[in-house]
Amino acid sequence: MLIRAFHRHDLVPLTELTIDTFRPFYEESFRPLVGEVVFANQHGDWREDYRRQVAGLHAPERHAHVAVAEAEDGLAGYVAWTVAPERRNGSVTLLAVRARHRRNHVGTALCEHAFQEMRALGAKVVEIGTGGDPFHAPARALYEALGCTPLPVTVYYRRL
């Protein structure tokens, strides 16, 4: 596996990977959990939201970076992160791994790559967020295996 810097030609495949990765969460987990009104308000246009977000992930002038993992059979995943130099803080923005490459340490390699790059940019601490629902259990396990400490947070939604 090769981990390399983002290139503009990566935008469409990374956007598609992001949508494929998170579709089960939005459509099979979040929507049934919160109902149609909350879903529509919070994430009703989640695909377009990702199209916009992914397009802006790599902006080195804003200390925002993306690294791509390539395997023999193509794109395996990617990680996006930012660094706030004045706070010496890094943040993983997005991590997505193609389904057939999960459980093969691609996520670990991508995170370790991002951590190394953050250190090189002066970060002393990294923040990674994920959901507490069953869909995000593999992400929580990965982050804890990487030595991250979970912070219990609860978010409530209610239809008005």
Side-chain angles (χ1 to χ4, degrees):
M1 180 178 61
L2 168 71
I3 298 179
R4 62 166 175 79
F6 172 84
H7 299 242
R8 288 309 301 168
H9 70 268
D10 294 320
L11 181 58
V12 170
L14 295 186
T15 302
E16 291 170 357
L17 171 59
T18 305
I19 290 169
D20 289 346
T21 299
F22 293 101
R23 182 200 54 73
F25 168 69
Y26 289 107
E27 299 299 335
E28 299 166 19
S29 182
F30 189 74
R31 182 189 297 251
L33 181 66
V34 300
E36 289 302 317
V37 171
V38 172
F39 176 80
N41 182 267
Q42 295 301 119
H43 296 294
D45 204 12
W46 66 269
R47 288 174 185 86
E48 278 305 311
D49 294 342
Y50 275 132
R51 286 184 182 97
R52 283 187 296 274
Q53 182 184 15
V54 173
L57 288 176
H58 189 74
E61 70 280 3
R62 289 187 290 110
H63 309 288
H65 307 273
V66 174
V68 176
E70 290 183 343
E72 290 180 14
D73 62 347
L75 176 69
Y78 79 98
V79 62
W81 71 92
T82 61
V83 173
E86 67 285 354
R87 292 183 47 227
R88 299 168 56 129
N89 188 54
S91 180
V92 172
T93 311
L94 263 172
L95 173 67
V97 175
R98 192 168 304 286
R100 67 179 173 266
H101 291 282
R102 294 178 193 148
R103 305 298 227 179
N104 292 322
H105 306 289
V106 174
T108 299
L110 285 165
C111 285
E112 292 290 0
H113 176 85
F115 296 168
Q116 180 180 343
E117 294 294 315
M118 288 180 215
R119 275 188 220 94
L121 293 169
K124 299 292 183 192
V125 174
V126 64
E127 174 185 338
I128 303 175
T130 194
D133 58 293
F135 172 85
H136 290 96
R140 291 191 306 275
L142 168 62
Y143 302 152
E144 289 179 26
L146 288 167
C148 300
T149 302
L151 174 66
V153 175
T154 304
V155 175
Y156 292 92
Y157 286 103
R158 178 178 177 255
R159 179 180 171 179
L160 297 178

